[in-house]
Amino acid sequence: MIIQHNIMSVNAHRHLGVNSTALSKKLEKLSSGYRVNVAADDAAGLAISEKMRKQITGLSRAVLNAHDGVSLVQTAEGALQELHIQLNRLEEMAVQAANGIYAADDRQKLQAETNALLEEFDRISEATNFNGIQLLDGSLSKNRGIASAAVAQAPPPYATPMALSAMSAFGAQALGLEGAGETMGIQPLGGGIGVLSTETINFETLQEGDEGTGWRFSGGVLTISGNGNNYVINGTEAETDNRIKVISGTNCDITLNNVNIKTSVGPAMDMRGATVELNITNKNTLTSTVNTYASIQTTGGSLTIDGTGSLAVQGGDGGAGIGGGYREDGGTITINSGNITARGGIYAAAIGGGDQSGGGTITINGGTITGEGRGMAAVIGGGWNGDGGTITIDGGTLTVTSASQGAGIGGGSGGNGGNIIINGGTVTATGNNSGAGIGGGGSGNGGNITITGGTVIAASTTDGDNAGGAAIGGGAIGSGGVICISGGNVTAMAGGLRGAGIGGGCAGSGGSITITGGIVTAGITISESRGAAVGGGGKQDSGDALPAGAGADFLLSGGVLIIVNGSRIGSGQNASGGDGAAAGTTTISGGNLSTVNPGNIQGGVLDGSNNAAYCVEVQGIAFGAHEAVSYTFDGVNYTAITDSNGKLYMYLPESATGGLFKITHQDTDYTLTAVVKTDHTGYIRRDSIAPVVTPGTAQRIDETTGTVEFDSSEAGTYYYIVKEADDLTHVDVDAIKTGTSGACAKDGNTLNLNGLTGNSAKTVYLVVEDGDGNVSEIQPIGLDAFVPKYNVEITLPGGVTFPADTDITVTVGGKAQTVKTDGGGKLLVPMPDGDNDIKLRHGGKNYGGVATVSGNPTSVELVEIIPPPPPPPPKGLVLQVGDTNDDYNKLTVYIEGASAAHLGLTGLSLATQESASAALYKIRDAIERVSVNRGQLGAYQNRLEHTINNLNNTVENMTAAESRIRDADMAQEMMAFTKYSVLAQAAQAMLAQANTQPQQVLQMLR
């Protein structure tokens, strides 16, 4: 027998512990009533149960919300019931007053009661509220309008001077606008379409505690918090230190009219986190002298500026004119119109980022913007050490000049240019000392710069020995970034000692530069400069520690590139005049590069086949400026564009000494011979012409002037006018040989056909015949094709200009035509005599007008067609009838206004028999309006009651499901408790028995 280890006792003790633990858990469940008391009881079940409890709690609260909604609806419906009673009384009195037996003083008594009832309408409309929420004042209306019989309201400040309906002189159909309302967002202005609620505030006379709908004045601050409203803030141009604050999250319209704020406390207008449509009228000035704040602080918000007035803004040293404050970016800023003058702080942009912050998102669609930098920041873009952000310019006139290290448009000192896109407008940007005109500031890179249209004039200047930035590209020692030009008229001139025209600044490399279209002029303005026209920056002198910048990888595949002042393409120069770093690769696969000295092209030029090439001029053909020309050289097809002087250059392989050159110009085929000199200069001269006889080929005819142009050097070629010829190969019917006078007069190289307009022949043919009698071209000419026409100049309002050399689609009398502007952006449209309806679209806007042409050319200024803004979304009252934020768990209740104005009863008169009869129609219409309103409220109540029933059903079933997981089955738990209780007692007994076993050892020892 073993006594050192009592195994039987140990075993009995273990089972006693197990049974005691199980007994304790069962006792816990029996005492609490829950099957799951702690997570260990059922981990998965507890998680599912808690999720169900959350839903049950939310749905239970939603039931109460729905009951509250029923109470609200019943409150409104009860008030409308009283209005119905009053309307029935009004109808009774109107019927009575319409009876002819009553005298005037009798009707006056009826009118007095009518007036009292109408006043009660307004009182009930204003006084009916639920927990302070107005129910019948129209604020919860889906329509948000006033009945057509209401008193006329003043138009909102955004209304156009000329309504669409007032354009009958133009004619909507003639302007091509008929049926275009939906596309253009045009809505009828009649009944049913409401306007924004307008609050007019006299800013300079505000007193402490003054308030209105969604605004309050306290402590010198006008605080605006009303969503969907329009606030007209009037001043007298007198300076005030009152400020404007728009609460974060607010979405509203604000009109500034002659407001002049100068404050030393905070932003003149603080709209951080808010969305504001700012309309400017007359003259407005906003100034903040606090170092850390902007004049208009837009961080985290969205500001859109429109209007015909002016706005001058200036922030503190660390705050933008419009944008961010200290370490706050510019938010979202959009400028559509207006005359804006902006100055930033020493460390902040005029428009964009504050001190040490980025520019945010800036979009300019129109207006006249003048920006001035004061120090380390960009004019438009980033503050000190801040990137430019995203800057998009689609229109308007923009003139900006930086002061020191910031870019004109782009990054602040040390900041990259960001993403800059110019699609239109007129942009003049100058960077001083270390900043680029457009691109990086100081040591910042140029960023991504894309120019697709408009007129862009970029320049950089240098004060003394300071490092120079590029006109377009990098800052003083910044690279050029990715620069793409595909359209527009672009001039980039580096006026500093070391910056490139397009590319790198000073020691900055050129980056990647691509020109696929447009007219680009690049170069330097001072002969001492060592920067490239396109490519890298230059080294100033031998003591300069900064190296010269490397050249760009430059591709010219379209458009015109004009290099001025003998500038270079490729790398910048070092102090001795030699090349700087690697020159980069210049590839020319199209377009035109003019006024180039081939010796100045660094790094070699490649043609479209990646072969080394050089430039020769095509001579002997009179090309027009910026004309696209296709030609063939030794069987290879090329496309190029002439420069501003009408010169055409082509790029021949380096090994070529000459070859066969074929070109078709103005429907004439030419064969020319290329002559190339050993120093890689030369020309392609038109030595001979081989006329191609192609019967039926159309001759080029100018329908505006009624003339045909041809080359007089084509000896032996005759031109005939033939009327109704049966056989055009025999030109013997009324033939007129060129050089004679009369109906077909030849002047130099022009054949004038205008004299034929009165000819009785039905058809006139133009026949070209060479000296051997071969007919080369035949062109039928309708007599009505040469009705005298006049070129009418088209201008746009507000100083909006057209880009130069750009196709504009103009509709005259319902017929569309494409007209190209000239080199100065002038648009001349051919028109016949009489009144001509005109319309066009430019810069995302529609314009229309009428040109009256009578005998002499004239001009016409079109009117911008501005559709009225869409009405704001209806507000309504949102009831939360579910446990989530999903739309299907929300019910919006709309309640129409019930004042006399909303019901069309303003000015209701029973004073005469006629007015009483007319009043019957208004009263019946009002009864119908109230009936519809009550019917809608009844529908809401029914819907809410169904919602309540459904929610209660869901809560009941969810509770049952949760109970099955969480609650204890008392009978089952009692059975288990009894079981473990007996087992525990048995274990105790066995443990006592096991403990007696070692006692037997003593019996053996006795």
Side-chain angles (χ1 to χ4, degrees):
M1 179 174 288
I2 298 172
I3 66 172
Q4 291 293 337
H5 293 85
N6 191 348
I7 300 303
M8 288 186 293
S9 295
V10 171
N11 184 268
H13 182 268
R14 179 173 63 82
H15 283 287
L16 176 62
V18 171
N19 293 330
S20 297
T21 300
L23 182 64
S24 174
K25 289 185 177 181
K26 294 304 176 182
L27 183 63
E28 181 182 26
K29 293 178 181 180
L30 286 170
S31 61
S32 68
Y34 286 115
R35 185 180 71 86
V36 180
N37 289 285
V38 293
D41 292 339
D42 186 351
L46 179 68
I48 296 171
S49 171
E50 290 297 336
K51 179 180 178 183
M52 287 183 173
R53 282 189 173 186
K54 175 189 74 69
Q55 186 173 358
I56 292 169
T57 302
L59 292 176
S60 299
R61 179 66 255 183
V63 170
L64 298 178
N65 289 353
H67 278 295
D68 292 340
V70 171
S71 299
L72 179 143
V73 168
Q74 288 176 335
T75 301
E77 203 269 332
L80 291 177
Q81 183 178 8
E82 288 301 316
L83 295 184
H84 249 152
I85 296 172
Q86 293 175 221
L87 284 169
N88 289 332
R89 173 57 182 159
L90 279 177
E91 184 176 39
E92 179 184 4
M93 289 191 295
V95 172
Q96 183 179 359
N99 193 1
I101 69 168
Y102 293 101
D105 58 340
D106 297 326
R107 293 191 177 90
Q108 286 301 322
K109 296 178 178 64
L110 295 171
Q111 182 65 48
E113 184 177 350
T114 297
N115 293 340
L117 288 176
L118 293 178
E119 290 176 2
E120 183 62 9
F121 271 87
D122 293 337
R123 192 199 68 80
I124 291 176
S125 172
E126 291 296 326
T128 303
N129 71 82
F130 186 88
N131 193 33
I133 299 172
Q134 298 293 107
L135 301 181
L136 299 179
D137 65 346
S139 60
L140 302 180
S141 171
K142 189 172 186 178
N143 186 31
R144 298 201 69 177
I146 301 296
S148 58
V151 177
Q153 304 241 346
Y158 53 77
T160 61
M162 177 183 65
L164 187 64
S165 58
M167 294 179 58
S168 56
F170 296 165
Q173 182 176 4
L175 289 173
L177 300 175
E178 191 174 48
E182 181 178 355
T183 329
M184 296 173 61
I186 298 174
Q187 298 283 354
L189 299 178
I193 301 298
V195 299
L196 291 171
S197 173
T198 300
E199 290 282 308
T200 301
I201 303 168
N202 294 320
F203 192 58
E204 297 161 13
T205 59
L206 287 171
Q207 301 295 318
E208 182 72 20
D210 285 352
E211 60 183 349
T213 302
W215 68 271
R216 178 177 175 81
F217 182 74
S218 177
V221 180
L222 171 63
T223 301
I224 295 174
S225 59
N227 273 316
N229 290 338
N230 180 53
Y231 297 91
V232 179
I233 303 176
N234 292 320
T236 62
E237 294 189 43
E239 185 178 294
T240 175
D241 58 359
N242 291 343
R243 295 179 288 126
I244 301 171
K245 179 178 179 62
V246 185
I247 296 298
S248 177
T250 301
N251 188 337
C252 65
D253 289 4
I254 296 177
T255 296
L256 295 182
N257 177 35
N258 287 328
V259 173
N260 185 352
I261 300 174
K262 186 173 183 179
T263 176
S264 59
V265 179
M269 179 175 175
D270 187 350
M271 52 157 288
R272 285 174 283 187
T275 299
V276 175
E277 296 276 345
L278 181 63
N279 184 70
I280 52 176
T281 60
N282 294 314
K283 183 179 180 180
N284 302 275
T285 304
L286 305 182
T287 304
S288 174
T289 60
V290 189
N291 288 342
T292 56
Y293 290 117
S295 171
I296 301 179
Q297 197 142 339
T298 59
T299 306
S302 177
L303 172 66
T304 301
I305 300 178
D306 289 283
T308 58
S310 66
L311 174 63
V313 292
Q314 179 172 327
D317 286 349
I322 301 174
Y326 176 66
R327 294 187 182 275
E328 292 187 322
D329 66 25
T332 300
I333 303 168
T334 302
I335 300 175
N336 294 325
S337 59
N339 191 332
I340 298 173
T341 302
R343 298 184 74 208
I346 296 176
Y347 306 103
I351 300 176
D355 183 1
Q356 301 184 54
S357 64
T361 301
I362 302 170
T363 303
I364 298 175
N365 297 319
T368 301
I369 300 98
T370 302
E372 179 184 346
R374 295 171 56 201
M376 312 291 283
V379 182
I380 295 183
W384 180 38
N385 283 334
D387 294 343
T390 298
I391 303 170
T392 304
I393 302 173
D394 290 328
T397 300
L398 179 64
T399 304
V400 295
T401 304
S402 71
S404 180
Q405 296 190 32
I409 300 174
S413 174
N416 299 326
N419 190 20
I420 302 172
I421 303 170
I422 302 176
N423 298 319
T426 300
V427 180
T428 303
T430 303
N432 279 310
N433 293 339
S434 299
I438 300 175
S443 59
N445 298 326
N448 297 328
I449 303 172
T450 303
I451 302 175
T452 66
T455 299
V456 180
I457 302 173
S460 62
T461 63
T462 301
D463 181 12
D465 294 337
N466 291 327
I472 299 178
I477 55 176
S479 299
V482 178
I483 302 171
C484 299
I485 301 175
S486 61
N489 195 328
V490 181
T491 301
M493 299 296 295
L497 296 176
R498 295 179 285 185
I502 302 175
C506 188
S509 60
S512 173
I513 304 171
T514 303
I515 299 176
T516 62
I519 303 167
V520 182
T521 302
I524 57 175
T525 59
I526 55 177
S527 59
E528 295 86 356
S529 176
R530 300 193 182 279
V534 178
K539 187 174 183 180
Q540 181 181 342
D541 54 46
S542 57
D544 191 350
L546 296 173
D553 286 333
F554 170 50
L555 170 64
L556 175 65
S557 62
V560 176
L561 173 60
I562 304 170
I563 305 299
V564 298
N565 295 342
S567 306
R568 304 155 55 84
I569 294 179
S571 69
Q573 290 181 295
N574 59 31
S576 62
D579 295 343
T585 301
T586 299
T587 302
I588 301 177
S589 61
N592 197 351
L593 179 64
S594 66
T595 61
V596 172
N597 180 346
N600 283 340
I601 300 178
Q602 305 300 310
V605 176
L606 304 181
D607 62 15
S609 301
N610 291 328
N611 298 315
Y614 53 90
C615 169
V616 295
E617 179 186 352
V618 178
Q619 299 178 351
I621 300 177
F623 297 105
H626 311 146
E627 183 177 351
V629 179
S630 298
Y631 59 88
T632 301
F633 180 76
D634 279 349
V636 179
N637 296 323
Y638 297 87
T639 300
I641 299 176
T642 61
D643 67 10
S644 299
N645 297 317
K647 291 184 178 182
L648 176 67
Y649 295 86
M650 68 170 293
Y651 298 87
L652 300 179
E654 188 175 20
S655 59
T657 57
L660 186 62
F661 180 87
K662 292 183 178 181
I663 186 171
T664 299
H665 182 243
Q666 297 183 357
D667 296 329
T668 301
D669 295 319
Y670 302 108
T671 301
L672 302 95
T673 301
V675 178
V676 181
K677 299 180 181 179
T678 55
D679 62 355
H680 293 167
T681 63
Y683 56 89
I684 298 176
R685 177 171 295 166
R686 182 183 139 187
D687 294 330
S688 62
I689 298 176
V692 178
V693 178
T694 309
T697 302
Q699 183 81 357
R700 191 179 75 88
I701 298 176
D702 189 332
E703 294 189 4
T704 301
T705 60
T707 60
V708 177
E709 295 182 359
F710 59 93
D711 196 306
S712 61
S713 65
E714 296 186 37
T717 302
Y718 299 91
Y719 297 83
Y720 294 90
I721 300 300
V722 183
K723 299 183 301 181
E724 300 179 305
D726 295 329
D727 184 359
L728 293 179
T729 60
H730 300 86
V731 287
D732 56 355
V733 181
D734 293 336
I736 305 176
K737 192 173 182 179
T738 56
T740 62
S741 61
C744 177
K746 180 176 181 295
D747 179 14
N749 294 344
T750 301
L751 190 64
N752 192 332
L753 307 179
N754 276 319
L756 296 175
T757 56
N759 198 294
S760 61
K762 296 179 181 178
T763 306
V764 173
Y765 297 91
L766 175 65
V767 180
V768 181
E769 181 185 7
D770 64 17
D772 299 327
N774 297 315
V775 175
S776 60
E777 299 183 16
I778 301 172
Q779 169 70 47
I781 304 170
L783 293 179
D784 59 349
F786 299 118
V787 176
K789 300 178 182 179
Y790 305 96
N791 283 329
V792 178
E793 182 179 359
I794 304 299
T795 59
L796 301 178
V800 179
T801 59
F802 294 105
D805 302 293
T806 301
D807 289 337
I808 305 292
T809 300
V810 184
T811 300
V812 180
K815 296 181 179 179
Q817 56 180 305
T818 300
V819 184
K820 184 184 288 293
T821 59
D822 65 11
K826 181 184 292 185
L827 178 65
L828 299 175
V829 179
M831 295 183 195
D833 284 325
D835 292 338
N836 298 273
D837 292 324
I838 314 165
K839 77 177 185 72
L840 61 84
R841 184 172 178 83
H842 176 64
K845 298 180 179 180
N846 297 294
Y847 299 89
V850 173
T852 301
V853 179
S854 179
N856 293 302
T858 183
S859 63
V860 61
E861 179 176 325
L862 303 186
V863 177
E864 182 179 352
I865 303 169
I866 306 177
K875 181 179 179 182
L877 187 142
V878 180
L879 299 176
Q880 180 71 35
V881 292
D883 63 319
T884 69
N885 194 40
D886 298 303
D887 290 340
Y888 52 75
N889 279 330
K890 298 178 185 294
L891 173 62
T892 303
V893 175
Y894 298 105
I895 306 175
E896 301 301 321
S899 67
H902 285 98
L903 297 177
L905 298 177
T906 302
L908 190 70
S909 173
L910 305 183
T912 66
Q913 188 175 6
E914 292 75 19
S915 64
S917 297
L920 284 171
Y921 293 98
K922 295 183 179 180
I923 295 170
R924 290 171 186 172
D925 181 68
I927 291 174
E928 177 64 20
R929 288 173 183 264
V930 175
S931 297
V932 170
N933 208 354
R934 290 185 68 184
Q936 183 64 53
L937 290 174
Y940 285 138
Q941 182 172 340
N942 291 336
R943 182 177 175 183
L944 285 169
E945 288 172 352
H946 289 304
T947 300
I948 291 169
N949 292 336
N950 181 57
L951 288 172
N952 283 329
N953 177 63
T954 304
V955 169
E956 178 183 345
N957 289 289
M958 288 288 295
T959 302
E962 197 267 344
S963 173
R964 285 189 290 272
I965 297 174
R966 201 71 172 261
D967 293 347
D969 185 336
M970 300 299 289
Q972 182 181 8
E973 297 299 336
M974 192 64 202
M975 290 170 55
F977 177 81
T978 303
K979 168 187 169 182
Y980 288 117
S981 177
V982 171
L983 289 174
Q985 294 177 31
Q988 289 176 345
M990 293 303 101
L991 179 61
Q993 183 67 29
N995 286 334
T996 62
Q997 293 299 316
Q999 300 297 326
Q1000 298 176 10
V1001 175
L1002 296 176
Q1003 298 296 329
M1004 296 175 62
L1005 295 177
R1006 287 177 180 176

